[in-house]
Amino acid sequence: MGEPLIYTYDIDGEDFTRAGEASSSVKNRLKMLGVDSAAIRKTAIAMYEGEINMVIHADGGTITVIISDDAITMVLADRGPGIPDIEKAMQEGYSTARPEVRSLGFGAGMGLPNMKRFTDEMKIDTVIGQGTTITMKVYLHSDGL
Amino acid sequence: MDSNKFIRSVRLRESACRGCINCIKNCPTQAIRVHNGKAHIIDKFCIDCGRCIRYCPHHAKIAVYDPLSVINDFKYAVALPAPSLYAQYNNLANVDIVLNALLKLGFDDVYEVSAAAELVSEASREYIREHMDEAPFISSACPSVIRLIRVKFPSLISRLLPIKAPVEVAAEIARARAMKKTGLKPEEIGIIFISPCPSKVSYAKAPLGIEKSSIDNVVAIKDIYPLLLPHMKHDESQLKPLSHSGRIGIGWSNAGGEVAGLLVENYLAADGIVNILRVLEQLEDEKLHGLTFVELNACDGGCAGGTLTVENAYIAATKTKRLTKYQPVSRNHLSENPELQSIYWADDVEYEPVFRLGNTFKESLRMMSDVEKLTAMFPGLDCGSCGAPTCQTLAEDIVRGDATPNDCIYVLRSNIAELSRRINDLTENVTAGKALSAEEDELLHRYIRELTADLASFGVPDKTKQRKE
């Protein structure tokens, strides 16, 4: 097993227009690695949803991406308010985003459901008032496919 | 790998190249490097968009295309004028003025690309209607757009409209009609496209979506434009009625012209290669919602802004609008063109992973790790002095074996400083009256040799020599 590649991104909580920069950067690296486009797509969409969530709810945070032989692992850590009811938050269409955020086209309540749908594993660790860490995995089969 | 696949019409005129960094910084696919004071285009990265032609201050980037004399190679030559040709002329009231002048210039017949464009519009409308659930579709008329998607956006290949470009459709119909009219064999008939851009020159040699193009030669609008002027007669009573295209077909020369013929409401029309790159990124990330059609033109202003045109693209756009103001909407229908066998692509466009680092994922992973380490070592200024557009691309080139860390002048400078320091340390002993051991003496000589080599590799362009040229 080779040495995994590790990338860390600081997500700015102020700026909606910059959300997506980190997922874009990861996407372009995955292309250079020759990862299958379906796995790239899954990773890019899940990570973008995560980035947006961090901007909307948690004033930013940090994303660590680990690319190894068999999986792409994304760890999204924030120091936001935490998720009081995970089951509810996982429901499609459920959103706690502010109206002004929704008016920008975000906060449709599809973030977490999409993150789950587009990844092979997802784990949510959340502490009210302290923050949330979401770990997502997209499996890579032999030779990055 | 089929070398023909990456054929390009944008070339370097080496004698004019000064080795500056304008082209490498403006290339949208980072396909150009400067080594030993001259630019080099990397074939498989180049999408033939012609942006470097526009940005080179020394005119060292040129487009290759055919001279008009190619019409003499055939018994019967048919001109296929791109609609952008019409927009080059001032106060043009009637397309027939240009078409009649083409006959006087030596062509035996003309067939307007704008006529075929109306057939493409009709086929596109049908295709979109029948495949609505697969929307959004991306236009496939600009070869540089297809080439860009082919190397950078594998997930979007399936979104390309699988319909031949207007010029290809025009070439097929024109040949079939000429054969019928003259009784000549297909190879005795020359189908010659008058093109606004070098991208279509390459397309004719290495088509996309079909195996072989029906276009025989491609000449440039900028060559034909002045030659037609003396033949242009504005007296309408003397003109043969040759034009047979409407507002939709002629409008294809402008950005937004293709979507205008599709009658779809939810569309996006982007022009200019940098804008296109952004749109494709967003499409790939599924950040653009509710679109039915995406029109993309590599050149600013659409085809009228091609590098082989003469008129300002935005003035050309206004002229086209004026020219088509009183034209019927469309004058061509698929049902009236039985000679056209199929308007659809016969082949799939396949992903070409030219930017992939290694041959296998594991190898790429290891190489990427080296790229990251090297990138961290460089200053991150993206100054271009190494000949690569960014520090990251230099690192990639090194890992691919095409460059060395010393190509970075900052790395080289710190190497030189380090060698000088070591030489100084050793010689201080000598100054203090201590003799150098044989080992130290050898070390000193080695440092001096390395320093000389490093300094020689600086490769500062010889200014005096350049001025004499």
Side-chain angles (χ1 to χ4, degrees):
Chain A
M1 185 119 156
E3 202 182 323
L5 277 169
I6 301 170
Y7 298 101
T8 309
Y9 300 91
D10 288 323
I11 307 302
D12 185 344
E14 303 281 295
D15 197 347
F16 272 100
T17 59
R18 282 179 53 192
E21 280 181 7
S23 51
S24 219
S25 153
V26 167
K27 186 183 74 183
N28 288 324
R29 285 181 161 91
L30 293 175
K31 282 184 193 170
M32 289 182 69
L33 290 170
V35 171
D36 159 70
S37 52
I40 296 179
R41 179 171 169 264
K42 282 157 74 179
T43 306
I45 294 173
M47 186 165 160
Y48 176 63
E49 294 284 7
E51 267 187 270
I52 289 283
N53 271 354
M54 289 169 110
V55 175
I56 295 176
H57 300 288
D59 199 21
T62 310
I63 301 180
T64 308
V65 180
I66 304 150
I67 307 166
S68 63
D69 284 0
D70 57 356
I72 301 159
T73 309
M74 295 160 266
V75 183
L76 292 75
D78 68 55
R79 301 177 75 80
I83 305 169
D85 187 338
I86 292 178
E87 207 174 307
K88 232 177 182 177
M90 290 302 298
Q91 283 169 18
E92 290 188 8
Y94 177 81
S95 176
T96 57
R98 301 187 309 276
E100 58 267 35
V101 170
R102 284 163 176 261
S103 71
L104 289 167
F106 299 107
M110 291 305 291
L112 283 171
N114 272 342
M115 286 157 74
K116 181 147 183 73
R117 183 176 321 136
F118 286 100
T119 53
D120 298 307
E121 271 180 39
M122 181 163 108
K123 192 169 78 125
I124 303 176
D125 295 307
T126 186
V127 179
I128 300 301
Q130 289 190 28
T132 302
T133 298
I134 298 180
T135 308
M136 297 185 285
K137 255 187 190 202
V138 172
Y139 300 148
L140 297 175
H141 306 298
S142 59
D143 213 28
L145 299 172
Chain B
M1 208 176 270
D2 182 4
S3 62
N4 194 42
K5 214 156 39 187
F6 297 111
I7 202 164
R8 60 181 158 82
S9 302
V10 175
R11 304 282 171 84
L12 180 80
R13 196 152 58 97
E14 206 177 295
S15 60
C17 177
R18 298 282 185 90
C20 70
I21 61 160
N22 286 293
C23 59
I24 60 172
K25 294 301 266 182
N26 282 297
C27 174
T29 53
Q30 304 187 316
I32 314 175
R33 303 289 183 272
V34 173
H35 287 306
N36 301 320
K38 298 289 176 193
H40 298 273
I41 304 172
I42 302 166
D43 290 342
K44 59 182 183 178
F45 295 171
C46 174
I47 56 164
D48 233 8
C49 68
R51 197 162 193 252
C52 54
I53 296 178
R54 228 171 255 131
Y55 278 89
C56 177
H58 310 296
H59 309 291
K61 295 291 190 316
I62 50 164
V64 289
Y65 47 84
D66 298 313
L68 181 61
S69 59
V70 292
I71 63 172
N72 302 321
D73 298 347
F74 302 95
K75 283 193 180 153
Y76 192 83
V78 185
L80 305 185
S84 41
L85 174 67
Y86 315 145
Q88 308 302 306
Y89 298 98
N90 291 324
N91 307 314
L92 187 72
N94 186 340
V95 171
D96 278 335
I97 297 165
V98 174
L99 302 184
N100 278 264
L102 281 166
L103 296 186
K104 293 210 181 79
L105 195 63
F107 286 100
D108 298 297
D109 203 355
V110 292
Y111 183 84
E112 295 169 277
V113 174
S114 50
E118 295 186 341
L119 301 177
V120 172
S121 294
E122 184 186 337
S124 304
R125 288 193 297 269
E126 273 175 27
Y127 188 89
I128 293 169
R129 201 172 45 237
E130 283 164 18
H131 299 82
M132 205 51 169
D133 50 328
E134 294 163 37
F137 293 100
I138 301 172
S139 64
S140 51
C142 174
S144 287
V145 169
I146 303 180
R147 289 190 200 107
L148 177 63
I149 291 175
R150 180 176 73 164
V151 296
K152 278 207 169 238
F153 300 95
S155 66
L156 298 178
I157 290 176
S158 63
R159 300 218 172 270
L160 283 166
L161 203 62
I163 294 176
K164 291 172 187 170
V167 65
E168 188 61 45
V169 173
E172 282 180 32
I173 294 174
R175 189 181 308 277
R177 287 191 180 174
M179 282 165 67
K180 200 173 167 197
K181 192 171 167 184
T182 64
L184 291 168
K185 288 183 212 149
E187 63 272 20
E188 292 172 322
I189 295 160
I191 303 296
I192 295 151
F193 177 43
I194 303 170
S195 176
C197 70
S199 190
K200 297 270 191 198
V201 179
S202 311
Y203 166 84
K205 291 176 189 145
L208 301 143
I210 52 169
E211 201 185 332
K212 194 180 178 309
S213 171
S214 294
I215 306 160
D216 292 306
N217 293 96
V218 182
V219 297
I221 283 182
K222 66 174 181 178
D223 282 6
I224 303 300
Y225 165 78
L227 300 177
L228 287 180
L229 283 170
H231 297 295
M232 286 172 64
K233 299 285 178 285
H234 291 259
D235 177 0
E236 298 208 358
S237 65
Q238 289 179 26
L239 296 174
K240 275 199 244 174
L242 297 168
S243 176
H244 193 77
S245 49
R247 207 187 303 165
I248 285 181
I250 297 172
W252 268 70
S253 71
N254 293 349
E258 184 181 358
V259 288
L262 293 180
L263 318 171
V264 293
E265 280 182 4
N266 301 315
Y267 67 83
L268 179 160
D271 55 309
I273 195 77
V274 175
N275 300 326
I276 284 178
L277 266 170
R278 201 173 307 135
V279 168
L280 290 171
E281 287 277 353
Q282 291 176 332
L283 271 177
E284 188 177 52
D285 295 346
E286 304 190 14
K287 287 177 200 163
L288 302 173
H289 304 287
L291 290 172
T292 305
F293 192 79
V294 178
E295 176 190 319
L296 302 174
N297 291 289
C299 294
D300 296 338
C303 296
T307 47
L308 301 182
T309 61
V310 288
E311 181 59 282
N312 172 297
Y314 303 100
I315 290 176
T318 312
K319 287 197 210 166
T320 301
K321 277 185 193 138
R322 204 158 50 212
L323 178 65
T324 56
K325 202 170 176 184
Y326 300 109
Q327 297 271 2
V329 175
S330 178
R331 297 173 68 185
N332 294 273
H333 305 284
L334 284 166
S335 57
E336 295 159 9
N337 288 269
E339 57 273 79
L340 181 66
Q341 307 239 316
S342 169
I343 201 163
Y344 295 102
W345 278 357
D347 299 342
D348 289 334
V349 167
E350 275 172 32
Y351 175 42
E352 303 290 347
V354 296
F355 292 101
R356 196 169 66 186
L357 283 174
N359 292 317
T360 64
F361 176 60
K362 285 196 173 81
E363 188 187 19
S364 299
L365 206 56
R366 191 173 42 72
M367 287 168 84
M368 184 61 99
S369 173
D370 293 342
V371 167
E372 303 300 350
K373 280 175 207 149
L374 282 162
T375 308
M377 181 175 92
F378 298 137
L381 299 172
D382 295 341
C383 70
S385 298
C386 61
T390 62
C391 295
Q392 160 111 19
T393 31
L394 174 63
E396 290 163 19
D397 288 351
I398 294 168
V399 170
R400 286 190 171 106
D402 300 328
T404 68
N406 259 1
D407 287 334
C408 171
I409 56 164
Y410 294 92
V411 168
L412 181 62
R413 193 167 72 177
S414 80
N415 285 350
I416 287 170
E418 175 62 17
L419 282 167
S420 310
R421 190 189 60 76
R422 289 187 198 170
I423 290 168
N424 189 51
D425 287 352
L426 285 167
T427 49
E428 261 177 9
N429 289 343
V430 183
T431 326
K434 283 185 229 154
L436 288 178
S437 68
E439 210 175 302
E440 285 171 326
D441 190 56
E442 199 191 316
L443 212 49
L444 180 63
H445 280 88
R446 204 185 87 204
Y447 291 155
I448 291 171
R449 273 198 308 276
E450 279 177 21
L451 182 63
T452 313
D454 275 359
L455 285 169
S457 76
F458 250 120
V460 177
D462 187 344
K463 274 276 170 202
T464 51
K465 206 169 131 198
Q466 272 185 2
R467 270 192 216 105
K468 263 183 246 159
E469 268 175 19

